[in-house]
Short mmCIF file of all heavy atoms in Angstrom, two decimals:
data_model
loop_
_atom_site.label_atom_id
_atom_site.label_comp_id
_atom_site.label_asym_id
_atom_site.label_seq_id
_atom_site.Cartn_x
_atom_site.Cartn_y
_atom_site.Cartn_z
N ARG A 43 91.35 -30.73 -175.22
CA ARG A 43 90.13 -31.27 -174.62
C ARG A 43 89.17 -31.88 -175.63
O ARG A 43 88.36 -32.72 -175.28
CB ARG A 43 89.43 -30.19 -173.81
CG ARG A 43 90.24 -29.80 -172.59
CD ARG A 43 89.45 -29.07 -171.58
NE ARG A 43 88.81 -27.88 -172.13
CZ ARG A 43 88.75 -26.71 -171.54
NH1 ARG A 43 89.31 -26.55 -170.37
NH2 ARG A 43 88.15 -25.71 -172.10
N ALA A 44 89.24 -31.44 -176.89
CA ALA A 44 88.32 -31.99 -177.89
C ALA A 44 89.01 -33.01 -178.80
O ALA A 44 88.36 -33.62 -179.63
CB ALA A 44 87.71 -30.86 -178.72
N GLY A 45 90.33 -33.16 -178.66
CA GLY A 45 91.04 -34.21 -179.39
C GLY A 45 91.41 -33.89 -180.82
O GLY A 45 91.72 -34.79 -181.59
N PHE A 46 91.43 -32.61 -181.21
CA PHE A 46 91.83 -32.25 -182.57
C PHE A 46 93.35 -32.12 -182.61
O PHE A 46 93.90 -31.04 -182.47
CB PHE A 46 91.13 -30.97 -183.02
CG PHE A 46 89.68 -31.18 -183.31
CD1 PHE A 46 88.72 -30.86 -182.37
CD2 PHE A 46 89.28 -31.72 -184.52
CE1 PHE A 46 87.37 -31.08 -182.63
CE2 PHE A 46 87.94 -31.94 -184.79
CZ PHE A 46 86.99 -31.61 -183.84
N GLU A 47 93.99 -33.26 -182.79
CA GLU A 47 95.45 -33.29 -182.71
C GLU A 47 96.14 -32.92 -184.02
O GLU A 47 97.35 -32.75 -184.05
CB GLU A 47 95.94 -34.66 -182.23
CG GLU A 47 95.65 -35.79 -183.17
CD GLU A 47 94.32 -36.50 -182.93
OE1 GLU A 47 93.53 -36.05 -182.10
OE2 GLU A 47 94.08 -37.52 -183.59
N GLN A 48 95.40 -32.81 -185.11
CA GLN A 48 96.04 -32.54 -186.40
C GLN A 48 95.44 -31.30 -187.07
O GLN A 48 94.24 -31.17 -187.20
CB GLN A 48 95.88 -33.73 -187.33
CG GLN A 48 96.60 -33.54 -188.65
CD GLN A 48 96.56 -34.79 -189.50
OE1 GLN A 48 96.33 -35.89 -189.01
NE2 GLN A 48 96.77 -34.63 -190.79
N LEU A 49 96.33 -30.42 -187.50
CA LEU A 49 95.95 -29.27 -188.32
C LEU A 49 96.18 -29.68 -189.77
O LEU A 49 97.30 -29.95 -190.18
CB LEU A 49 96.82 -28.06 -187.98
CG LEU A 49 96.70 -26.86 -188.91
CD1 LEU A 49 95.37 -26.15 -188.70
CD2 LEU A 49 97.84 -25.89 -188.66
N SER A 50 95.09 -29.78 -190.54
CA SER A 50 95.21 -30.19 -191.94
C SER A 50 95.53 -29.02 -192.85
O SER A 50 96.22 -29.18 -193.85
CB SER A 50 93.91 -30.84 -192.42
OG SER A 50 93.61 -31.95 -191.64
N ASP A 51 94.99 -27.86 -192.52
CA ASP A 51 95.19 -26.69 -193.38
C ASP A 51 94.93 -25.42 -192.59
O ASP A 51 94.15 -25.42 -191.64
CB ASP A 51 94.22 -26.77 -194.57
CG ASP A 51 94.51 -25.72 -195.64
OD1 ASP A 51 95.65 -25.22 -195.70
OD2 ASP A 51 93.60 -25.40 -196.41
N LEU A 52 95.61 -24.37 -192.97
CA LEU A 52 95.38 -23.04 -192.46
C LEU A 52 95.53 -22.11 -193.65
O LEU A 52 96.52 -22.20 -194.38
CB LEU A 52 96.40 -22.69 -191.37
CG LEU A 52 96.32 -21.32 -190.72
CD1 LEU A 52 96.85 -21.36 -189.30
CD2 LEU A 52 97.01 -20.23 -191.50
N CYS A 53 94.56 -21.26 -193.88
CA CYS A 53 94.65 -20.36 -195.02
C CYS A 53 94.07 -19.00 -194.68
O CYS A 53 93.25 -18.87 -193.78
CB CYS A 53 93.95 -20.95 -196.24
SG CYS A 53 92.20 -21.23 -195.99
N GLY A 54 94.50 -18.01 -195.41
CA GLY A 54 93.95 -16.67 -195.29
C GLY A 54 92.80 -16.51 -196.26
O GLY A 54 92.73 -17.18 -197.28
N VAL A 55 91.88 -15.60 -195.92
CA VAL A 55 90.74 -15.31 -196.78
C VAL A 55 90.54 -13.80 -196.80
O VAL A 55 90.62 -13.15 -195.76
CB VAL A 55 89.44 -15.99 -196.28
CG1 VAL A 55 88.27 -15.68 -197.20
CG2 VAL A 55 89.63 -17.48 -196.14
N ASP A 56 90.28 -13.25 -197.98
CA ASP A 56 89.98 -11.83 -198.13
C ASP A 56 88.50 -11.72 -198.49
O ASP A 56 88.08 -12.11 -199.57
CB ASP A 56 90.85 -11.23 -199.24
CG ASP A 56 90.63 -9.74 -199.43
OD1 ASP A 56 89.75 -9.17 -198.76
OD2 ASP A 56 91.34 -9.16 -200.26
N TYR A 57 87.71 -11.17 -197.59
CA TYR A 57 86.28 -11.03 -197.79
C TYR A 57 85.90 -9.64 -198.31
O TYR A 57 84.78 -9.19 -198.11
CB TYR A 57 85.52 -11.29 -196.48
CG TYR A 57 85.46 -12.73 -196.08
CD1 TYR A 57 86.34 -13.25 -195.14
CD2 TYR A 57 84.52 -13.58 -196.63
CE1 TYR A 57 86.28 -14.58 -194.76
CE2 TYR A 57 84.46 -14.91 -196.26
CZ TYR A 57 85.34 -15.41 -195.32
OH TYR A 57 85.27 -16.73 -194.95
N ALA A 58 86.82 -8.95 -198.99
CA ALA A 58 86.55 -7.58 -199.46
C ALA A 58 85.30 -7.53 -200.33
O ALA A 58 84.46 -6.65 -200.16
CB ALA A 58 87.75 -7.04 -200.24
N THR A 59 85.16 -8.40 -201.26
CA THR A 59 83.96 -8.48 -202.08
C THR A 59 83.52 -9.93 -202.04
O THR A 59 84.04 -10.79 -202.74
CB THR A 59 84.24 -8.07 -203.54
OG1 THR A 59 85.32 -8.85 -204.04
CG2 THR A 59 84.61 -6.60 -203.63
N TYR A 60 82.55 -10.21 -201.20
CA TYR A 60 82.12 -11.58 -200.99
C TYR A 60 80.62 -11.66 -201.21
O TYR A 60 79.85 -10.94 -200.58
CB TYR A 60 82.47 -12.03 -199.57
CG TYR A 60 82.10 -13.45 -199.27
CD1 TYR A 60 82.86 -14.49 -199.78
CD2 TYR A 60 81.00 -13.74 -198.49
CE1 TYR A 60 82.52 -15.80 -199.50
CE2 TYR A 60 80.66 -15.06 -198.21
CZ TYR A 60 81.43 -16.08 -198.71
OH TYR A 60 81.10 -17.38 -198.45
N GLY A 61 80.20 -12.50 -202.12
CA GLY A 61 78.78 -12.68 -202.37
C GLY A 61 78.20 -11.56 -203.22
O GLY A 61 78.90 -10.87 -203.96
N GLU A 62 76.91 -11.37 -203.09
CA GLU A 62 76.17 -10.41 -203.91
C GLU A 62 76.34 -8.97 -203.46
O GLU A 62 76.18 -8.04 -204.24
CB GLU A 62 74.67 -10.77 -203.88
CG GLU A 62 74.37 -12.16 -204.41
CD GLU A 62 74.62 -12.28 -205.89
OE1 GLU A 62 74.29 -11.34 -206.64
OE2 GLU A 62 75.16 -13.32 -206.32
N ARG A 63 76.63 -8.76 -202.20
CA ARG A 63 76.71 -7.40 -201.68
C ARG A 63 78.04 -7.20 -200.95
O ARG A 63 78.65 -8.17 -200.51
CB ARG A 63 75.54 -7.11 -200.76
CG ARG A 63 75.46 -8.04 -199.59
CD ARG A 63 74.15 -7.84 -198.80
NE ARG A 63 74.13 -8.64 -197.61
CZ ARG A 63 73.83 -9.93 -197.57
NH1 ARG A 63 73.54 -10.58 -198.68
NH2 ARG A 63 73.82 -10.59 -196.45
N PRO A 64 78.45 -5.94 -200.78
CA PRO A 64 79.70 -5.71 -200.04
C PRO A 64 79.60 -6.23 -198.60
O PRO A 64 78.55 -6.11 -197.97
CB PRO A 64 79.85 -4.19 -200.06
CG PRO A 64 78.92 -3.69 -201.10
CD PRO A 64 77.85 -4.71 -201.27
N ARG A 65 80.66 -6.80 -198.13
CA ARG A 65 80.68 -7.37 -196.78
C ARG A 65 80.80 -6.27 -195.75
O ARG A 65 81.55 -5.33 -195.89
CB ARG A 65 81.86 -8.33 -196.64
CG ARG A 65 81.96 -8.90 -195.25
CD ARG A 65 82.99 -9.98 -195.15
NE ARG A 65 83.20 -10.37 -193.79
CZ ARG A 65 82.39 -11.17 -193.12
NH1 ARG A 65 81.32 -11.63 -193.69
NH2 ARG A 65 82.65 -11.49 -191.88
N GLU A 66 80.04 -6.43 -194.68
CA GLU A 66 80.16 -5.53 -193.54
C GLU A 66 80.91 -6.27 -192.47
O GLU A 66 80.66 -7.44 -192.20
CB GLU A 66 78.78 -5.10 -193.06
CG GLU A 66 78.05 -4.26 -194.09
CD GLU A 66 76.76 -3.69 -193.56
OE1 GLU A 66 76.61 -3.59 -192.33
OE2 GLU A 66 75.92 -3.34 -194.39
N GLY A 67 81.85 -5.60 -191.85
CA GLY A 67 82.66 -6.24 -190.83
C GLY A 67 84.09 -6.41 -191.30
O GLY A 67 84.48 -5.89 -192.35
N PRO A 68 84.88 -7.13 -190.53
CA PRO A 68 86.30 -7.31 -190.87
C PRO A 68 86.50 -7.96 -192.24
O PRO A 68 85.70 -8.77 -192.68
CB PRO A 68 86.83 -8.21 -189.76
CG PRO A 68 85.85 -8.10 -188.66
CD PRO A 68 84.53 -7.82 -189.29
N ARG A 69 87.60 -7.58 -192.86
CA ARG A 69 87.88 -8.04 -194.23
C ARG A 69 88.67 -9.36 -194.26
O ARG A 69 88.40 -10.22 -195.07
CB ARG A 69 88.68 -6.94 -194.94
CG ARG A 69 89.17 -7.32 -196.30
CD ARG A 69 89.92 -6.19 -196.94
NE ARG A 69 90.54 -6.65 -198.17
CZ ARG A 69 91.29 -5.88 -198.93
NH1 ARG A 69 91.52 -4.64 -198.61
NH2 ARG A 69 91.83 -6.37 -200.02
N PHE A 70 89.68 -9.50 -193.40
CA PHE A 70 90.58 -10.65 -193.47
C PHE A 70 90.26 -11.67 -192.38
O PHE A 70 89.96 -11.31 -191.25
CB PHE A 70 92.04 -10.21 -193.33
CG PHE A 70 92.49 -9.34 -194.45
CD1 PHE A 70 92.61 -7.97 -194.28
CD2 PHE A 70 92.79 -9.86 -195.70
CE1 PHE A 70 93.01 -7.15 -195.32
CE2 PHE A 70 93.19 -9.06 -196.74
CZ PHE A 70 93.30 -7.69 -196.55
N ALA A 71 90.34 -12.93 -192.75
CA ALA A 71 90.12 -14.03 -191.81
C ALA A 71 91.15 -15.11 -192.03
O ALA A 71 91.76 -15.20 -193.09
CB ALA A 71 88.71 -14.60 -191.98
N VAL A 72 91.32 -15.92 -191.00
CA VAL A 72 92.15 -17.12 -191.08
C VAL A 72 91.22 -18.29 -190.83
O VAL A 72 90.41 -18.27 -189.91
CB VAL A 72 93.29 -17.08 -190.05
CG1 VAL A 72 94.00 -18.41 -189.98
CG2 VAL A 72 94.27 -15.97 -190.40
N VAL A 73 91.32 -19.31 -191.69
CA VAL A 73 90.48 -20.50 -191.57
C VAL A 73 91.37 -21.71 -191.37
O VAL A 73 92.33 -21.91 -192.12
CB VAL A 73 89.60 -20.68 -192.83
CG1 VAL A 73 88.77 -21.95 -192.73
CG2 VAL A 73 88.72 -19.46 -193.06
N LEU A 74 91.06 -22.48 -190.33
CA LEU A 74 91.80 -23.70 -190.03
C LEU A 74 90.90 -24.90 -190.28
O LEU A 74 89.69 -24.83 -190.02
CB LEU A 74 92.21 -23.74 -188.55
CG LEU A 74 93.29 -22.81 -188.05
CD1 LEU A 74 92.75 -21.43 -187.86
CD2 LEU A 74 93.85 -23.33 -186.76
N HIS A 75 91.48 -25.98 -190.74
CA HIS A 75 90.78 -27.25 -190.90
C HIS A 75 91.46 -28.25 -189.97
O HIS A 75 92.65 -28.54 -190.13
CB HIS A 75 90.82 -27.74 -192.35
CG HIS A 75 90.07 -26.85 -193.27
ND1 HIS A 75 88.77 -27.07 -193.62
CD2 HIS A 75 90.42 -25.70 -193.89
CE1 HIS A 75 88.36 -26.12 -194.43
NE2 HIS A 75 89.35 -25.27 -194.60
N LEU A 76 90.70 -28.72 -188.99
CA LEU A 76 91.25 -29.60 -187.96
C LEU A 76 90.70 -31.01 -188.12
O LEU A 76 89.59 -31.21 -188.62
CB LEU A 76 90.88 -29.06 -186.58
CG LEU A 76 91.27 -27.63 -186.28
CD1 LEU A 76 90.80 -27.23 -184.89
CD2 LEU A 76 92.76 -27.43 -186.43
N LEU A 77 91.48 -31.97 -187.64
CA LEU A 77 91.11 -33.38 -187.72
C LEU A 77 91.40 -34.05 -186.38
O LEU A 77 92.48 -33.87 -185.81
CB LEU A 77 91.90 -34.07 -188.83
CG LEU A 77 91.76 -35.58 -188.96
CD1 LEU A 77 90.33 -35.98 -189.32
CD2 LEU A 77 92.73 -36.13 -190.00
N SER A 78 90.42 -34.79 -185.90
CA SER A 78 90.61 -35.66 -184.74
C SER A 78 90.68 -37.08 -185.26
O SER A 78 89.69 -37.63 -185.73
CB SER A 78 89.44 -35.52 -183.76
OG SER A 78 89.52 -36.53 -182.78
N LEU A 79 91.86 -37.66 -185.19
CA LEU A 79 92.04 -39.03 -185.68
C LEU A 79 91.33 -40.03 -184.78
O LEU A 79 90.75 -41.00 -185.26
CB LEU A 79 93.52 -39.36 -185.78
CG LEU A 79 94.31 -38.52 -186.78
CD1 LEU A 79 95.80 -38.77 -186.64
CD2 LEU A 79 93.87 -38.82 -188.19
N ALA A 80 91.34 -39.79 -183.49
CA ALA A 80 90.73 -40.72 -182.55
C ALA A 80 89.20 -40.79 -182.73
O ALA A 80 88.61 -41.86 -182.66
CB ALA A 80 91.07 -40.32 -181.12
N SER A 81 88.58 -39.64 -182.96
CA SER A 81 87.12 -39.60 -183.10
C SER A 81 86.66 -39.55 -184.55
O SER A 81 85.46 -39.61 -184.81
CB SER A 81 86.57 -38.38 -182.37
OG SER A 81 86.92 -38.40 -181.02
N ASN A 82 87.60 -39.38 -185.46
CA ASN A 82 87.29 -39.23 -186.89
C ASN A 82 86.32 -38.06 -187.11
O ASN A 82 85.31 -38.17 -187.79
CB ASN A 82 86.74 -40.52 -187.48
CG ASN A 82 86.74 -40.49 -189.00
OD1 ASN A 82 87.49 -39.73 -189.61
ND2 ASN A 82 85.90 -41.29 -189.61
N TRP A 83 86.66 -36.91 -186.50
CA TRP A 83 85.88 -35.69 -186.64
C TRP A 83 86.70 -34.66 -187.39
O TRP A 83 87.92 -34.60 -187.26
CB TRP A 83 85.54 -35.10 -185.28
CG TRP A 83 84.50 -35.80 -184.50
CD1 TRP A 83 83.53 -36.64 -184.98
CD2 TRP A 83 84.30 -35.72 -183.09
NE1 TRP A 83 82.76 -37.07 -183.94
CE2 TRP A 83 83.20 -36.53 -182.77
CE3 TRP A 83 84.95 -35.05 -182.06
CZ2 TRP A 83 82.72 -36.67 -181.48
CZ3 TRP A 83 84.48 -35.18 -180.78
CH2 TRP A 83 83.38 -35.99 -180.49
N ARG A 84 86.02 -33.84 -188.15
CA ARG A 84 86.65 -32.70 -188.81
C ARG A 84 85.94 -31.44 -188.36
O ARG A 84 84.74 -31.45 -188.13
CB ARG A 84 86.55 -32.82 -190.33
CG ARG A 84 87.36 -33.97 -190.88
CD ARG A 84 87.29 -34.04 -192.40
NE ARG A 84 88.01 -35.18 -192.87
CZ ARG A 84 89.32 -35.22 -193.08
NH1 ARG A 84 90.04 -34.16 -192.88
NH2 ARG A 84 89.90 -36.32 -193.52
N LEU A 85 86.69 -30.36 -188.25
CA LEU A 85 86.12 -29.09 -187.79
C LEU A 85 86.82 -27.94 -188.50
O LEU A 85 88.03 -27.99 -188.71
CB LEU A 85 86.29 -28.95 -186.27
CG LEU A 85 85.77 -27.68 -185.63
CD1 LEU A 85 84.24 -27.65 -185.69
CD2 LEU A 85 86.24 -27.58 -184.19
N ARG A 86 86.04 -26.94 -188.86
CA ARG A 86 86.59 -25.74 -189.45
C ARG A 86 86.52 -24.63 -188.40
O ARG A 86 85.50 -24.45 -187.74
CB ARG A 86 85.78 -25.33 -190.68
CG ARG A 86 86.30 -24.10 -191.38
CD ARG A 86 85.47 -23.69 -192.58
NE ARG A 86 85.35 -24.76 -193.55
CZ ARG A 86 84.22 -25.36 -193.88
NH1 ARG A 86 83.08 -25.03 -193.32
NH2 ARG A 86 84.20 -26.33 -194.78
N VAL A 87 87.61 -23.89 -188.23
CA VAL A 87 87.67 -22.77 -187.29
C VAL A 87 88.00 -21.52 -188.10
O VAL A 87 88.93 -21.53 -188.90
CB VAL A 87 88.76 -23.00 -186.21
CG1 VAL A 87 88.86 -21.81 -185.28
CG2 VAL A 87 88.48 -24.27 -185.43
#
Side-chain angles (χ1 to χ4, degrees):
R43 292 197 305 223
F46 287 98
E47 65 269 7
Q48 183 174 340
L49 170 73
S50 301
D51 189 22
L52 180 151
C53 61
V55 181
D56 182 357
Y57 286 98
T59 54
Y60 182 75
E62 300 291 320
R63 59 188 185 280
R65 177 172 172 79
E66 294 187 21
R69 174 179 172 182
F70 296 103
V72 171
V73 177
L74 288 78
H75 294 266
L76 305 178
L77 173 64
S78 169
L79 296 171
S81 302
N82 194 22
W83 286 338
R84 293 183 183 276
L85 180 68
R86 181 181 304 115
V87 177

